[in-house]
Each structure stands twice: as structure tokens, then as C-alpha cells.
Amino acid sequence: MLAALPVHAQPLRVMTFNVRLLTPNDGANNWDARRDLVVAMLRAEDPDVIGTQELFKRQGDEIVERLPQFVWFGEGRGGGDADEHMGVFYRKDRLRVRESGNFWLSDTPDVPGSRTWGNLYPRMVTWARFERLADGATFTLYNTHLPYRDSDEPARLRCAELIRDRLAKLPATERVVLLGDFNTTTESRVYSSLTNSLTDVWTAAPERSGPEGTFHDFTGKPERRIDWILVRGMKANRVETVTTHREKQYPSDHFPVIAELELAVR
């Protein structure tokens, strides 16, 4: 069992999860119908840290109200709290935040709500540098959600290049996790740009389970693998596409992805 392992051997459990935004158009799949299943899934999977996409403040607050071992932070993509967040959740009994912040995927990344490159909506990264309480090991996490239209591929590439350039400014020894909904396939230039310096845990982990695809539109039948966990300075031991459901109800229109990463003290 995990608790029996020495601290340095315990895996860091990292999840990416597009929770599906608050919208009245989802009918039987609206947030109020899915919320308890989301909470049950997170309780069962027990991640240490989660990068979410499409999260509204109400959703984040309702999750931590039911799972008080977590706290969350983030800012709306337009600035403030009124819009979708790249909300980051973490176990407060396992991790602490040393630094955190946001930047926007635009020509003016430090301007909240800024958008260029033809983006229909503001796109952003919420990031944090974490320390594991048990042993002091640290890592930096970036969480993002790239634009979704087929015509947005040039904008997605500009977004990826900005993220890549920001990551390149971190110390070479810094452990890095980049995760999110990238809205493109592994055949894209976005993927090749990012995996030139980062490792895709889905392809690298020796143990893999669940379907390869992640977006399923509430059908349970995934189409494309657009939700990724990419790392630097860490070894992926296991990765799973989580298909938790109750009859025809799913937590979201995306399957979450969870990875177990080695985070030994250097």
C-alpha cells in the first residue's frame, strides 16, 4: 500500500480534468446532476494535485466544501472570478504552495483577460511551485486550456510556444508538470513543440490503463486524446484515463487523466 512506502518512493498523483463549465444547455448532464459523481470520483482517485479547466468558482467551492482535504486557487480567464478558471486543487495535508500566479496566452501575457492571435476567448495558464510537506521535494505545475476551433491551430501553436518559452526560463533542474486540455492531437505541431523538451506520460509510463482518447461528449466513447500530462525531471510510473460513471452519467464530457510520478528528493 502507498502508506507503507518510504516517503521518497511514494508517487505524486497528478490529475488533469476538464470539469465542463456551468451551462443551462447540458440538460441531464448539468453540473448539479454531475457534482456528486465528480466528488466521488475525486475521492476514489485521491490525487495530490489537480489541474482543472472550464471551472467556475461555484464548482470549485462546492468541490472543496465536500472534499475539505483540498483547497483550490485560480483566476477567471477574463480576470476576477466571473468566468472560467484554470483552477488548481491540491491536498493541503500533502503539499504547500511556495509561489503561484497566472499569465495570459497573448502578446501581453501579464495583462488579465488579454487575447490576440485570433483567439475567440482569453486563454491563460495558472501555475504554482509546490513543496511536498513530507520531504521538501519541489516541482512547478502549469495548467492550461488551449482554444478549441479547428481554425485555431495557428493560435494553439502560438500559445504552446509561449508556454514553452516560459518553461525554458525555469532552472534546468526544476521538476515541471504541464497539463491541460490542449484541444489538438498528438500529430500536431503543438504537441511536437511541447514534447521537444517535455515527456508525455501516456507514451512514457510502463503501466497504462483506460482508453487512449479523453474527449467523449458525455457518451463514454472517447474520440481524441486532447488532455495531456507532460513532465520534465520526473519519471512516470503509471497513467490512467479514468472512466468512472454511474449508468449513463459521467463526471464530465472529458475523461480525467491521472499519473503517478516519481518525485524523489535530489
Side-chain angles (χ1 to χ4, degrees), residues 52-88:
T52 67
Q53 304 86 42
E54 296 193 18
L55 183 86
F56 275 74
K57 184 177 185 298
R58 177 190 152 199
Q59 293 171 297
D61 291 346
E62 290 181 355
I63 289 170
V64 298
E65 180 183 359
R66 290 158 177 80
L67 296 173
Q69 64 270 41
F70 287 97
V71 293
W72 81 278
F73 62 90
E75 187 172 348
R77 64 185 181 184
D81 280 330
D83 204 342
E84 299 175 26
H85 295 58
M86 307 301 104
V88 175

PDB file of all heavy atoms in Angstrom, residues 52-88:
ATOM      1  N   THR A  52      -7.553  21.783 -13.316  1.00  0.00           N
ATOM      2  CA  THR A  52      -8.866  21.724 -13.953  1.00  0.00           C
ATOM      3  C   THR A  52      -8.971  22.782 -15.040  1.00  0.00           C
ATOM      4  O   THR A  52      -8.235  23.773 -15.051  1.00  0.00           O
ATOM      5  CB  THR A  52     -10.009  21.925 -12.941  1.00  0.00           C
ATOM      6  OG1 THR A  52      -9.971  23.265 -12.436  1.00  0.00           O
ATOM      7  CG2 THR A  52      -9.913  20.928 -11.797  1.00  0.00           C
ATOM      8  N   GLN A  53      -9.907  22.549 -15.940  1.00  0.00           N
ATOM      9  CA  GLN A  53     -10.235  23.519 -16.982  1.00  0.00           C
ATOM     10  C   GLN A  53     -11.749  23.704 -17.005  1.00  0.00           C
ATOM     11  O   GLN A  53     -12.501  22.825 -16.585  1.00  0.00           O
ATOM     12  CB  GLN A  53      -9.740  23.037 -18.355  1.00  0.00           C
ATOM     13  CG  GLN A  53      -8.245  22.738 -18.406  1.00  0.00           C
ATOM     14  CD  GLN A  53      -7.929  21.326 -17.953  1.00  0.00           C
ATOM     15  OE1 GLN A  53      -8.621  20.382 -18.310  1.00  0.00           O
ATOM     16  NE2 GLN A  53      -6.865  21.176 -17.169  1.00  0.00           N
ATOM     17  N   GLU A  54     -12.182  24.858 -17.458  1.00  0.00           N
ATOM     18  CA  GLU A  54     -13.604  25.252 -17.540  1.00  0.00           C
ATOM     19  C   GLU A  54     -14.270  25.375 -16.177  1.00  0.00           C
ATOM     20  O   GLU A  54     -15.492  25.359 -16.068  1.00  0.00           O
ATOM     21  CB  GLU A  54     -14.406  24.290 -18.432  1.00  0.00           C
ATOM     22  CG  GLU A  54     -13.979  24.287 -19.884  1.00  0.00           C
ATOM     23  CD  GLU A  54     -14.952  23.587 -20.808  1.00  0.00           C
ATOM     24  OE1 GLU A  54     -16.138  23.372 -20.422  1.00  0.00           O
ATOM     25  OE2 GLU A  54     -14.545  23.243 -21.934  1.00  0.00           O
ATOM     26  N   LEU A  55     -13.500  25.524 -15.139  1.00  0.00           N
ATOM     27  CA  LEU A  55     -14.043  25.555 -13.788  1.00  0.00           C
ATOM     28  C   LEU A  55     -14.584  26.935 -13.458  1.00  0.00           C
ATOM     29  O   LEU A  55     -13.874  27.931 -13.599  1.00  0.00           O
ATOM     30  CB  LEU A  55     -12.950  25.186 -12.786  1.00  0.00           C
ATOM     31  CG  LEU A  55     -13.392  25.110 -11.330  1.00  0.00           C
ATOM     32  CD1 LEU A  55     -13.963  23.726 -11.025  1.00  0.00           C
ATOM     33  CD2 LEU A  55     -12.222  25.421 -10.389  1.00  0.00           C
ATOM     34  N   PHE A  56     -15.822  26.988 -12.994  1.00  0.00           N
ATOM     35  CA  PHE A  56     -16.364  28.212 -12.429  1.00  0.00           C
ATOM     36  C   PHE A  56     -16.184  28.191 -10.911  1.00  0.00           C
ATOM     37  O   PHE A  56     -16.091  27.126 -10.296  1.00  0.00           O
ATOM     38  CB  PHE A  56     -17.836  28.371 -12.794  1.00  0.00           C
ATOM     39  CG  PHE A  56     -18.055  29.011 -14.139  1.00  0.00           C
ATOM     40  CD1 PHE A  56     -17.809  28.297 -15.308  1.00  0.00           C
ATOM     41  CD2 PHE A  56     -18.470  30.329 -14.246  1.00  0.00           C
ATOM     42  CE1 PHE A  56     -18.003  28.880 -16.558  1.00  0.00           C
ATOM     43  CE2 PHE A  56     -18.664  30.928 -15.476  1.00  0.00           C
ATOM     44  CZ  PHE A  56     -18.425  30.201 -16.637  1.00  0.00           C
ATOM     45  N   LYS A  57     -16.144  29.383 -10.315  1.00  0.00           N
ATOM     46  CA  LYS A  57     -15.893  29.484  -8.881  1.00  0.00           C
ATOM     47  C   LYS A  57     -16.876  28.656  -8.077  1.00  0.00           C
ATOM     48  O   LYS A  57     -16.493  27.978  -7.114  1.00  0.00           O
ATOM     49  CB  LYS A  57     -15.940  30.942  -8.431  1.00  0.00           C
ATOM     50  CG  LYS A  57     -15.582  31.150  -6.960  1.00  0.00           C
ATOM     51  CD  LYS A  57     -15.575  32.614  -6.586  1.00  0.00           C
ATOM     52  CE  LYS A  57     -15.098  32.804  -5.143  1.00  0.00           C
ATOM     53  NZ  LYS A  57     -16.002  32.145  -4.174  1.00  0.00           N
ATOM     54  N   ARG A  58     -18.138  28.688  -8.450  1.00  0.00           N
ATOM     55  CA  ARG A  58     -19.129  27.901  -7.712  1.00  0.00           C
ATOM     56  C   ARG A  58     -18.762  26.414  -7.708  1.00  0.00           C
ATOM     57  O   ARG A  58     -18.874  25.742  -6.685  1.00  0.00           O
ATOM     58  CB  ARG A  58     -20.511  28.095  -8.338  1.00  0.00           C
ATOM     59  CG  ARG A  58     -21.586  27.243  -7.674  1.00  0.00           C
ATOM     60  CD  ARG A  58     -22.896  27.263  -8.442  1.00  0.00           C
ATOM     61  NE  ARG A  58     -23.623  26.029  -8.221  1.00  0.00           N
ATOM     62  CZ  ARG A  58     -24.601  25.580  -8.992  1.00  0.00           C
ATOM     63  NH1 ARG A  58     -24.976  26.280 -10.052  1.00  0.00           N
ATOM     64  NH2 ARG A  58     -25.205  24.451  -8.723  1.00  0.00           N
ATOM     65  N   GLN A  59     -18.306  25.907  -8.843  1.00  0.00           N
ATOM     66  CA  GLN A  59     -17.939  24.497  -8.909  1.00  0.00           C
ATOM     67  C   GLN A  59     -16.756  24.198  -7.996  1.00  0.00           C
ATOM     68  O   GLN A  59     -16.763  23.204  -7.258  1.00  0.00           O
ATOM     69  CB  GLN A  59     -17.597  24.120 -10.353  1.00  0.00           C
ATOM     70  CG  GLN A  59     -18.786  24.178 -11.295  1.00  0.00           C
ATOM     71  CD  GLN A  59     -18.371  24.024 -12.750  1.00  0.00           C
ATOM     72  OE1 GLN A  59     -17.643  24.854 -13.276  1.00  0.00           O
ATOM     73  NE2 GLN A  59     -18.815  22.949 -13.383  1.00  0.00           N
ATOM     74  N   GLY A  60     -15.727  25.053  -8.055  1.00  0.00           N
ATOM     75  CA  GLY A  60     -14.570  24.843  -7.194  1.00  0.00           C
ATOM     76  C   GLY A  60     -14.932  24.872  -5.729  1.00  0.00           C
ATOM     77  O   GLY A  60     -14.493  24.024  -4.934  1.00  0.00           O
ATOM     78  N   ASP A  61     -15.753  25.834  -5.350  1.00  0.00           N
ATOM     79  CA  ASP A  61     -16.148  25.960  -3.950  1.00  0.00           C
ATOM     80  C   ASP A  61     -16.977  24.762  -3.496  1.00  0.00           C
ATOM     81  O   ASP A  61     -16.828  24.281  -2.358  1.00  0.00           O
ATOM     82  CB  ASP A  61     -16.934  27.251  -3.737  1.00  0.00           C
ATOM     83  CG  ASP A  61     -16.071  28.499  -3.877  1.00  0.00           C
ATOM     84  OD1 ASP A  61     -14.829  28.369  -3.881  1.00  0.00           O
ATOM     85  OD2 ASP A  61     -16.644  29.598  -3.986  1.00  0.00           O
ATOM     86  N   GLU A  62     -17.845  24.269  -4.358  1.00  0.00           N
ATOM     87  CA  GLU A  62     -18.677  23.123  -3.980  1.00  0.00           C
ATOM     88  C   GLU A  62     -17.861  21.844  -3.870  1.00  0.00           C
ATOM     89  O   GLU A  62     -18.168  20.974  -3.049  1.00  0.00           O
ATOM     90  CB  GLU A  62     -19.829  22.972  -4.971  1.00  0.00           C
ATOM     91  CG  GLU A  62     -20.844  24.093  -4.845  1.00  0.00           C
ATOM     92  CD  GLU A  62     -22.016  23.976  -5.801  1.00  0.00           C
ATOM     93  OE1 GLU A  62     -22.013  23.054  -6.660  1.00  0.00           O
ATOM     94  OE2 GLU A  62     -22.940  24.806  -5.695  1.00  0.00           O
ATOM     95  N   ILE A  63     -16.815  21.717  -4.680  1.00  0.00           N
ATOM     96  CA  ILE A  63     -15.948  20.539  -4.575  1.00  0.00           C
ATOM     97  C   ILE A  63     -15.214  20.537  -3.244  1.00  0.00           C
ATOM     98  O   ILE A  63     -15.202  19.536  -2.516  1.00  0.00           O
ATOM     99  CB  ILE A  63     -14.963  20.485  -5.759  1.00  0.00           C
ATOM    100  CG1 ILE A  63     -15.708  20.130  -7.063  1.00  0.00           C
ATOM    101  CG2 ILE A  63     -13.856  19.454  -5.490  1.00  0.00           C
ATOM    102  CD1 ILE A  63     -14.865  20.283  -8.309  1.00  0.00           C
ATOM    103  N   VAL A  64     -14.584  21.659  -2.880  1.00  0.00           N
ATOM    104  CA  VAL A  64     -13.799  21.658  -1.636  1.00  0.00           C
ATOM    105  C   VAL A  64     -14.704  21.655  -0.399  1.00  0.00           C
ATOM    106  O   VAL A  64     -14.278  21.203   0.667  1.00  0.00           O
ATOM    107  CB  VAL A  64     -12.798  22.829  -1.589  1.00  0.00           C
ATOM    108  CG1 VAL A  64     -11.785  22.718  -2.721  1.00  0.00           C
ATOM    109  CG2 VAL A  64     -13.490  24.174  -1.613  1.00  0.00           C
ATOM    110  N   GLU A  65     -15.929  22.122  -0.534  1.00  0.00           N
ATOM    111  CA  GLU A  65     -16.870  22.009   0.582  1.00  0.00           C
ATOM    112  C   GLU A  65     -17.127  20.550   0.920  1.00  0.00           C
ATOM    113  O   GLU A  65     -17.261  20.180   2.096  1.00  0.00           O
ATOM    114  CB  GLU A  65     -18.183  22.708   0.226  1.00  0.00           C
ATOM    115  CG  GLU A  65     -19.239  22.648   1.317  1.00  0.00           C
ATOM    116  CD  GLU A  65     -20.546  23.297   0.898  1.00  0.00           C
ATOM    117  OE1 GLU A  65     -20.624  23.818  -0.232  1.00  0.00           O
ATOM    118  OE2 GLU A  65     -21.497  23.267   1.707  1.00  0.00           O
ATOM    119  N   ARG A  66     -17.154  19.707  -0.109  1.00  0.00           N
ATOM    120  CA  ARG A  66     -17.411  18.284   0.072  1.00  0.00           C
ATOM    121  C   ARG A  66     -16.131  17.473   0.267  1.00  0.00           C
ATOM    122  O   ARG A  66     -16.182  16.354   0.791  1.00  0.00           O
ATOM    123  CB  ARG A  66     -18.201  17.756  -1.134  1.00  0.00           C
ATOM    124  CG  ARG A  66     -19.633  18.279  -1.151  1.00  0.00           C
ATOM    125  CD  ARG A  66     -20.260  18.235  -2.536  1.00  0.00           C
ATOM    126  NE  ARG A  66     -21.645  18.678  -2.486  1.00  0.00           N
ATOM    127  CZ  ARG A  66     -22.019  19.964  -2.443  1.00  0.00           C
ATOM    128  NH1 ARG A  66     -21.097  20.932  -2.426  1.00  0.00           N
ATOM    129  NH2 ARG A  66     -23.301  20.278  -2.405  1.00  0.00           N
ATOM    130  N   LEU A  67     -15.012  18.021  -0.164  1.00  0.00           N
ATOM    131  CA  LEU A  67     -13.709  17.362  -0.004  1.00  0.00           C
ATOM    132  C   LEU A  67     -12.762  18.350   0.686  1.00  0.00           C
ATOM    133  O   LEU A  67     -11.880  18.934   0.055  1.00  0.00           O
ATOM    134  CB  LEU A  67     -13.149  16.945  -1.369  1.00  0.00           C
ATOM    135  CG  LEU A  67     -13.939  15.900  -2.152  1.00  0.00           C
ATOM    136  CD1 LEU A  67     -13.349  15.724  -3.540  1.00  0.00           C
ATOM    137  CD2 LEU A  67     -13.967  14.560  -1.406  1.00  0.00           C
ATOM    138  N   PRO A  68     -12.933  18.554   1.982  1.00  0.00           N
ATOM    139  CA  PRO A  68     -12.185  19.613   2.669  1.00  0.00           C
ATOM    140  C   PRO A  68     -10.694  19.343   2.801  1.00  0.00           C
ATOM    141  O   PRO A  68      -9.957  20.218   3.269  1.00  0.00           O
ATOM    142  CB  PRO A  68     -12.866  19.691   4.043  1.00  0.00           C
ATOM    143  CG  PRO A  68     -13.505  18.350   4.232  1.00  0.00           C
ATOM    144  CD  PRO A  68     -13.920  17.906   2.874  1.00  0.00           C
ATOM    145  N   GLN A  69     -10.236  18.162   2.401  1.00  0.00           N
ATOM    146  CA  GLN A  69      -8.793  17.919   2.379  1.00  0.00           C
ATOM    147  C   GLN A  69      -8.117  18.695   1.250  1.00  0.00           C
ATOM    148  O   GLN A  69      -6.890  18.848   1.235  1.00  0.00           O
ATOM    149  CB  GLN A  69      -8.499  16.416   2.224  1.00  0.00           C
ATOM    150  CG  GLN A  69      -8.942  15.764   0.922  1.00  0.00           C
ATOM    151  CD  GLN A  69     -10.354  15.197   0.984  1.00  0.00           C
ATOM    152  OE1 GLN A  69     -11.247  15.818   1.549  1.00  0.00           O
ATOM    153  NE2 GLN A  69     -10.536  14.008   0.414  1.00  0.00           N
ATOM    154  N   PHE A  70      -8.917  19.222   0.309  1.00  0.00           N
ATOM    155  CA  PHE A  70      -8.396  20.024  -0.795  1.00  0.00           C
ATOM    156  C   PHE A  70      -8.635  21.517  -0.556  1.00  0.00           C
ATOM    157  O   PHE A  70      -9.610  21.911   0.085  1.00  0.00           O
ATOM    158  CB  PHE A  70      -9.097  19.648  -2.111  1.00  0.00           C
ATOM    159  CG  PHE A  70      -8.691  18.325  -2.683  1.00  0.00           C
ATOM    160  CD1 PHE A  70      -9.448  17.193  -2.449  1.00  0.00           C
ATOM    161  CD2 PHE A  70      -7.548  18.210  -3.476  1.00  0.00           C
ATOM    162  CE1 PHE A  70      -9.087  15.961  -2.986  1.00  0.00           C
ATOM    163  CE2 PHE A  70      -7.176  16.997  -4.013  1.00  0.00           C
ATOM    164  CZ  PHE A  70      -7.945  15.863  -3.766  1.00  0.00           C
ATOM    165  N   VAL A  71      -7.748  22.311  -1.123  1.00  0.00           N
ATOM    166  CA  VAL A  71      -8.003  23.732  -1.332  1.00  0.00           C
ATOM    167  C   VAL A  71      -7.782  24.006  -2.819  1.00  0.00           C
ATOM    168  O   VAL A  71      -7.160  23.202  -3.520  1.00  0.00           O
ATOM    169  CB  VAL A  71      -7.092  24.628  -0.474  1.00  0.00           C
ATOM    170  CG1 VAL A  71      -7.419  24.469   0.992  1.00  0.00           C
ATOM    171  CG2 VAL A  71      -5.620  24.327  -0.733  1.00  0.00           C
ATOM    172  N   TRP A  72      -8.317  25.132  -3.298  1.00  0.00           N
ATOM    173  CA  TRP A  72      -8.104  25.443  -4.702  1.00  0.00           C
ATOM    174  C   TRP A  72      -7.847  26.935  -4.876  1.00  0.00           C
ATOM    175  O   TRP A  72      -8.212  27.746  -4.030  1.00  0.00           O
ATOM    176  CB  TRP A  72      -9.278  24.971  -5.562  1.00  0.00           C
ATOM    177  CG  TRP A  72     -10.489  25.867  -5.594  1.00  0.00           C
ATOM    178  CD1 TRP A  72     -11.492  25.922  -4.670  1.00  0.00           C
ATOM    179  CD2 TRP A  72     -10.830  26.824  -6.610  1.00  0.00           C
ATOM    180  NE1 TRP A  72     -12.441  26.851  -5.038  1.00  0.00           N
ATOM    181  CE2 TRP A  72     -12.060  27.420  -6.226  1.00  0.00           C
ATOM    182  CE3 TRP A  72     -10.216  27.239  -7.787  1.00  0.00           C
ATOM    183  CZ2 TRP A  72     -12.675  28.407  -6.999  1.00  0.00           C
ATOM    184  CZ3 TRP A  72     -10.829  28.219  -8.547  1.00  0.00           C
ATOM    185  CH2 TRP A  72     -12.055  28.788  -8.154  1.00  0.00           C
ATOM    186  N   PHE A  73      -7.202  27.279  -5.987  1.00  0.00           N
ATOM    187  CA  PHE A  73      -6.942  28.672  -6.312  1.00  0.00           C
ATOM    188  C   PHE A  73      -6.980  28.840  -7.824  1.00  0.00           C
ATOM    189  O   PHE A  73      -6.903  27.878  -8.588  1.00  0.00           O
ATOM    190  CB  PHE A  73      -5.585  29.131  -5.754  1.00  0.00           C
ATOM    191  CG  PHE A  73      -4.406  28.392  -6.317  1.00  0.00           C
ATOM    192  CD1 PHE A  73      -3.763  28.839  -7.458  1.00  0.00           C
ATOM    193  CD2 PHE A  73      -3.937  27.235  -5.701  1.00  0.00           C
ATOM    194  CE1 PHE A  73      -2.676  28.159  -7.984  1.00  0.00           C
ATOM    195  CE2 PHE A  73      -2.843  26.546  -6.219  1.00  0.00           C
ATOM    196  CZ  PHE A  73      -2.219  27.010  -7.364  1.00  0.00           C
ATOM    197  N   GLY A  74      -7.101  30.078  -8.249  1.00  0.00           N
ATOM    198  CA  GLY A  74      -7.120  30.394  -9.670  1.00  0.00           C
ATOM    199  C   GLY A  74      -7.847  31.699  -9.898  1.00  0.00           C
ATOM    200  O   GLY A  74      -8.460  32.271  -8.980  1.00  0.00           O
ATOM    201  N   GLU A  75      -7.792  32.169 -11.117  1.00  0.00           N
ATOM    202  CA  GLU A  75      -8.425  33.422 -11.516  1.00  0.00           C
ATOM    203  C   GLU A  75      -9.196  33.171 -12.799  1.00  0.00           C
ATOM    204  O   GLU A  75      -8.790  32.352 -13.628  1.00  0.00           O
ATOM    205  CB  GLU A  75      -7.365  34.499 -11.735  1.00  0.00           C
ATOM    206  CG  GLU A  75      -7.930  35.892 -12.004  1.00  0.00           C
ATOM    207  CD  GLU A  75      -6.855  36.964 -12.020  1.00  0.00           C
ATOM    208  OE1 GLU A  75      -5.717  36.676 -11.610  1.00  0.00           O
ATOM    209  OE2 GLU A  75      -7.163  38.093 -12.449  1.00  0.00           O
ATOM    210  N   GLY A  76     -10.318  33.875 -12.975  1.00  0.00           N
ATOM    211  CA  GLY A  76     -11.077  33.736 -14.201  1.00  0.00           C
ATOM    212  C   GLY A  76     -10.267  34.174 -15.414  1.00  0.00           C
ATOM    213  O   GLY A  76      -9.405  35.051 -15.314  1.00  0.00           O
ATOM    214  N   ARG A  77     -10.572  33.599 -16.558  1.00  0.00           N
ATOM    215  CA  ARG A  77      -9.760  33.902 -17.739  1.00  0.00           C
ATOM    216  C   ARG A  77      -9.910  35.354 -18.192  1.00  0.00           C
ATOM    217  O   ARG A  77      -9.061  35.875 -18.912  1.00  0.00           O
ATOM    218  CB  ARG A  77     -10.096  32.941 -18.881  1.00  0.00           C
ATOM    219  CG  ARG A  77     -11.512  33.051 -19.402  1.00  0.00           C
ATOM    220  CD  ARG A  77     -11.775  31.969 -20.435  1.00  0.00           C
ATOM    221  NE  ARG A  77     -13.142  32.071 -20.966  1.00  0.00           N
ATOM    222  CZ  ARG A  77     -13.665  31.200 -21.822  1.00  0.00           C
ATOM    223  NH1 ARG A  77     -12.959  30.176 -22.245  1.00  0.00           N
ATOM    224  NH2 ARG A  77     -14.902  31.358 -22.262  1.00  0.00           N
ATOM    225  N   GLY A  78     -10.992  36.008 -17.761  1.00  0.00           N
ATOM    226  CA  GLY A  78     -11.143  37.428 -18.045  1.00  0.00           C
ATOM    227  C   GLY A  78     -10.629  38.312 -16.927  1.00  0.00           C
ATOM    228  O   GLY A  78     -10.783  39.529 -16.974  1.00  0.00           O
ATOM    229  N   GLY A  79      -9.996  37.709 -15.919  1.00  0.00           N
ATOM    230  CA  GLY A  79      -9.642  38.418 -14.697  1.00  0.00           C
ATOM    231  C   GLY A  79     -10.804  38.331 -13.718  1.00  0.00           C
ATOM    232  O   GLY A  79     -11.966  38.185 -14.109  1.00  0.00           O
ATOM    233  N   GLY A  80     -10.539  38.388 -12.439  1.00  0.00           N
ATOM    234  CA  GLY A  80     -11.612  38.275 -11.444  1.00  0.00           C
ATOM    235  C   GLY A  80     -12.119  36.852 -11.333  1.00  0.00           C
ATOM    236  O   GLY A  80     -11.414  35.892 -11.624  1.00  0.00           O
ATOM    237  N   ASP A  81     -13.386  36.710 -10.947  1.00  0.00           N
ATOM    238  CA  ASP A  81     -13.949  35.390 -10.656  1.00  0.00           C
ATOM    239  C   ASP A  81     -15.175  35.041 -11.486  1.00  0.00           C
ATOM    240  O   ASP A  81     -15.814  34.025 -11.238  1.00  0.00           O
ATOM    241  CB  ASP A  81     -14.342  35.301  -9.178  1.00  0.00           C
ATOM    242  CG  ASP A  81     -13.158  35.026  -8.279  1.00  0.00           C
ATOM    243  OD1 ASP A  81     -12.201  34.373  -8.746  1.00  0.00           O
ATOM    244  OD2 ASP A  81     -13.175  35.482  -7.117  1.00  0.00           O
ATOM    245  N   ALA A  82     -15.538  35.866 -12.458  1.00  0.00           N
ATOM    246  CA  ALA A  82     -16.831  35.695 -13.119  1.00  0.00           C
ATOM    247  C   ALA A  82     -16.802  34.740 -14.303  1.00  0.00           C
ATOM    248  O   ALA A  82     -17.832  34.477 -14.904  1.00  0.00           O
ATOM    249  CB  ALA A  82     -17.351  37.058 -13.583  1.00  0.00           C
ATOM    250  N   ASP A  83     -15.632  34.193 -14.638  1.00  0.00           N
ATOM    251  CA  ASP A  83     -15.516  33.410 -15.862  1.00  0.00           C
ATOM    252  C   ASP A  83     -14.870  32.061 -15.538  1.00  0.00           C
ATOM    253  O   ASP A  83     -14.651  31.721 -14.382  1.00  0.00           O
ATOM    254  CB  ASP A  83     -14.680  34.194 -16.881  1.00  0.00           C
ATOM    255  CG  ASP A  83     -14.960  33.791 -18.324  1.00  0.00           C
ATOM    256  OD1 ASP A  83     -15.519  32.705 -18.530  1.00  0.00           O
ATOM    257  OD2 ASP A  83     -14.603  34.563 -19.230  1.00  0.00           O
ATOM    258  N   GLU A  84     -14.561  31.316 -16.583  1.00  0.00           N
ATOM    259  CA  GLU A  84     -13.893  30.026 -16.417  1.00  0.00           C
ATOM    260  C   GLU A  84     -12.502  30.217 -15.815  1.00  0.00           C
ATOM    261  O   GLU A  84     -11.778  31.133 -16.168  1.00  0.00           O
ATOM    262  CB  GLU A  84     -13.766  29.312 -17.760  1.00  0.00           C
ATOM    263  CG  GLU A  84     -15.100  29.002 -18.409  1.00  0.00           C
ATOM    264  CD  GLU A  84     -14.927  28.398 -19.796  1.00  0.00           C
ATOM    265  OE1 GLU A  84     -13.871  27.778 -20.051  1.00  0.00           O
ATOM    266  OE2 GLU A  84     -15.839  28.545 -20.623  1.00  0.00           O
ATOM    267  N   HIS A  85     -12.132  29.289 -14.923  1.00  0.00           N
ATOM    268  CA  HIS A  85     -10.830  29.285 -14.269  1.00  0.00           C
ATOM    269  C   HIS A  85     -10.020  28.075 -14.727  1.00  0.00           C
ATOM    270  O   HIS A  85     -10.582  27.026 -15.062  1.00  0.00           O
ATOM    271  CB  HIS A  85     -10.981  29.170 -12.745  1.00  0.00           C
ATOM    272  CG  HIS A  85     -11.662  30.322 -12.084  1.00  0.00           C
ATOM    273  ND1 HIS A  85     -12.940  30.740 -12.413  1.00  0.00           N
ATOM    274  CD2 HIS A  85     -11.252  31.143 -11.073  1.00  0.00           C
ATOM    275  CE1 HIS A  85     -13.281  31.771 -11.635  1.00  0.00           C
ATOM    276  NE2 HIS A  85     -12.272  32.023 -10.825  1.00  0.00           N
ATOM    277  N   MET A  86      -8.722  28.214 -14.681  1.00  0.00           N
ATOM    278  CA  MET A  86      -7.820  27.067 -14.743  1.00  0.00           C
ATOM    279  C   MET A  86      -7.524  26.675 -13.295  1.00  0.00           C
ATOM    280  O   MET A  86      -6.380  26.727 -12.828  1.00  0.00           O
ATOM    281  CB  MET A  86      -6.511  27.396 -15.469  1.00  0.00           C
ATOM    282  CG  MET A  86      -6.645  27.999 -16.856  1.00  0.00           C
ATOM    283  SD  MET A  86      -7.533  26.956 -18.013  1.00  0.00           S
ATOM    284  CE  MET A  86      -9.112  27.817 -18.061  1.00  0.00           C
ATOM    285  N   GLY A  87      -8.547  26.305 -12.564  1.00  0.00           N
ATOM    286  CA  GLY A  87      -8.425  26.101 -11.122  1.00  0.00           C
ATOM    287  C   GLY A  87      -7.496  24.950 -10.779  1.00  0.00           C
ATOM    288  O   GLY A  87      -7.577  23.870 -11.363  1.00  0.00           O
ATOM    289  N   VAL A  88      -6.606  25.172  -9.814  1.00  0.00           N
ATOM    290  CA  VAL A  88      -5.683  24.155  -9.336  1.00  0.00           C
ATOM    291  C   VAL A  88      -6.089  23.764  -7.918  1.00  0.00           C
ATOM    292  O   VAL A  88      -6.195  24.620  -7.036  1.00  0.00           O
ATOM    293  CB  VAL A  88      -4.231  24.657  -9.366  1.00  0.00           C
ATOM    294  CG1 VAL A  88      -3.287  23.625  -8.748  1.00  0.00           C
ATOM    295  CG2 VAL A  88      -3.810  24.983 -10.799  1.00  0.00           C
TER     296      VAL A  88
END
